[in-house]
Amino acid sequence: MDEVNYFMNVTGPEHWIIFDFETTDFIWNVLIWMRNYWWKCFYYTAIYLVVIFTGKLYMSNRPKFDLRNALALWSGLLAIFSIIGTIRTMPELFHILYNHGFYYSICSNSYYTHDNVCAFWSSLFALSKIVELGDTVFIVLRKQPLIFLHWYHHITVIYFTWYSYALLMGTSRWYIVMNYFVHSWMYSYYALKAMEIKPPRFIAMMITTMQLVQMVVGFFVTGAAYYYIKIGEKQCHATTFNAACGLVMYFSYFVLFAMYFYKAYLSGNSRTKVE
């Protein structure tokens, strides 16, 4: 596929191993589908909201399901997926920063056009946002508190991820690596909790802190892309609308996660669960 790319003099990291499935046409098939149908995420999330709130109403007068074994398996598989995703995408980000600098890491989409490994796991990352909606099913069936932060975060992540993927935004390399990394810790924590292994309280605080840091870095990176566009950097693979959406999204996440951090760990009614 011919893809517009303004940064031709680039080499990706030398992966110590590349699997055959990481070099198939899957990455381009997903991209083509996203470019034509990314907007369907609005339909999917509408169904999601109807299902979870109808389910919450349905469960209101019924006993909760235990589902610990199923939750442990679910969280464990997502933890493994996130760990592998981190291992396969993080080297590209470090390579670009070290060899080409911050501007390149923000504006070039070479993570997709010049690195099949990173492109493959970026494709899976975008698709996984639909799979992760299953987290809410466990909350509903186990009759746990369904807070605004949880479902708002899930649906807006899908909107922004799919839209950014369809445009192949340069900033996406940052979003993908950060999210994979944080989810590696978060889903591992969930899996341990489901297996009735109780990690120290500071682990939960550390994960929420990492989420807050992720929002700060995401806001900064998105703001940098917005700045480069505004000063006339035509080679920057980003758009003002996408960047503006990202800034609003990351700011709202930071506020909500900060409020959660205070309620969960600092107030008198603190809890240990990480949302």
Side-chain angles (χ1 to χ4, degrees):
M1 170 181 290
D2 293 328
E3 185 62 34
V4 175
N5 184 27
Y6 298 103
F7 301 85
M8 299 305 295
N9 296 322
V10 60
T11 56
E14 294 184 5
H15 298 282
W16 63 279
I17 185 172
I18 299 177
F19 300 100
D20 290 340
F21 62 80
E22 293 175 322
T23 61
T24 64
D25 289 337
F26 169 80
I27 58 177
W28 298 115
N29 292 334
V30 174
L31 178 60
I32 292 170
W33 189 91
M34 284 286 182
R35 287 189 163 173
N36 291 324
Y37 303 111
W38 75 268
W39 49 269
K40 287 191 175 183
C41 64
F42 294 105
Y43 292 152
Y44 302 150
T45 53
I47 295 171
Y48 162 75
L49 291 174
V50 170
V51 168
I52 62 172
F53 284 106
T54 301
K56 194 172 186 298
L57 182 63
Y58 175 82
M59 290 297 298
S60 60
N61 296 318
R62 290 171 172 77
K64 66 180 180 179
F65 293 89
D66 182 65
L67 300 177
R68 283 192 174 273
N69 292 335
L71 181 58
L73 178 62
W74 174 266
S75 300
L77 290 174
L78 286 174
I80 293 170
F81 169 73
S82 299
I83 292 169
I84 296 174
T86 302
I87 294 172
R88 301 306 274 166
T89 59
M90 188 176 285
E92 197 276 342
L93 173 60
F94 287 165
H95 174 85
I96 292 301
L97 284 171
Y98 181 79
N99 292 283
H100 302 282
F102 178 72
Y103 169 75
Y104 192 102
S105 75
I106 298 297
C107 290
S108 168
N109 60 9
S110 61
Y111 67 94
Y112 205 92
T113 60
H114 286 65
D115 188 333
N116 281 341
V117 172
C118 198
F120 177 84
W121 289 94
S122 296
S123 301
L124 290 185
F125 174 83
L127 297 175
S128 72
K129 298 301 118 180
I130 285 291
V131 177
E132 289 172 4
L133 296 178
D135 294 349
T136 319
V137 175
F138 284 99
I139 290 177
V140 171
L141 294 180
R142 300 179 74 212
K143 298 185 72 170
Q144 294 179 315
L146 180 59
I147 63 175
F148 173 75
L149 169 59
H150 178 89
W151 60 264
Y152 168 77
H153 180 259
H154 270 301
I155 63 176
T156 50
V157 161
I158 292 178
Y159 299 157
F160 188 69
T161 299
W162 283 24
Y163 180 53
S164 299
Y165 186 99
L167 298 174
L168 284 189
M169 295 292 96
T171 47
S172 292
R173 63 162 44 88
W174 284 87
Y175 308 148
I176 292 166
V177 172
M178 289 192 298
N179 198 252
Y180 266 139
F181 178 75
V182 173
H183 277 196
S184 298
W185 287 88
M186 187 185 76
Y187 282 114
S188 295
Y189 176 85
Y190 286 161
L192 292 175
K193 291 279 287 184
M195 291 186 288
E196 299 187 315
I197 299 173
K198 296 182 179 180
R201 181 179 174 81
F202 80 87
I203 298 295
M205 294 181 68
M206 181 189 71
I207 292 171
T208 309
T209 301
M210 285 193 294
Q211 291 171 319
L212 283 167
V213 172
Q214 178 186 355
M215 305 318 161
V216 172
V217 175
F219 188 88
F220 175 77
V221 165
T222 308
Y226 187 87
Y227 168 77
Y228 289 138
I229 298 168
K230 282 298 185 180
I231 64 173
E233 290 288 349
K234 296 181 180 180
Q235 292 186 341
C236 195
H237 211 96
T239 68
T240 52
F241 181 73
N242 180 269
C245 290
L247 289 172
V248 172
M249 183 190 73
Y250 274 113
F251 179 76
S252 67
Y253 288 171
F254 179 82
V255 171
L256 291 171
F257 273 99
M259 292 171 60
Y260 174 78
F261 187 92
Y262 175 78
K263 289 179 64 177
Y265 309 118
L266 301 179
S267 70
N269 297 320
S270 62
R271 304 174 310 182
T272 59
K273 178 172 173 56
V274 180
E275 298 295 346

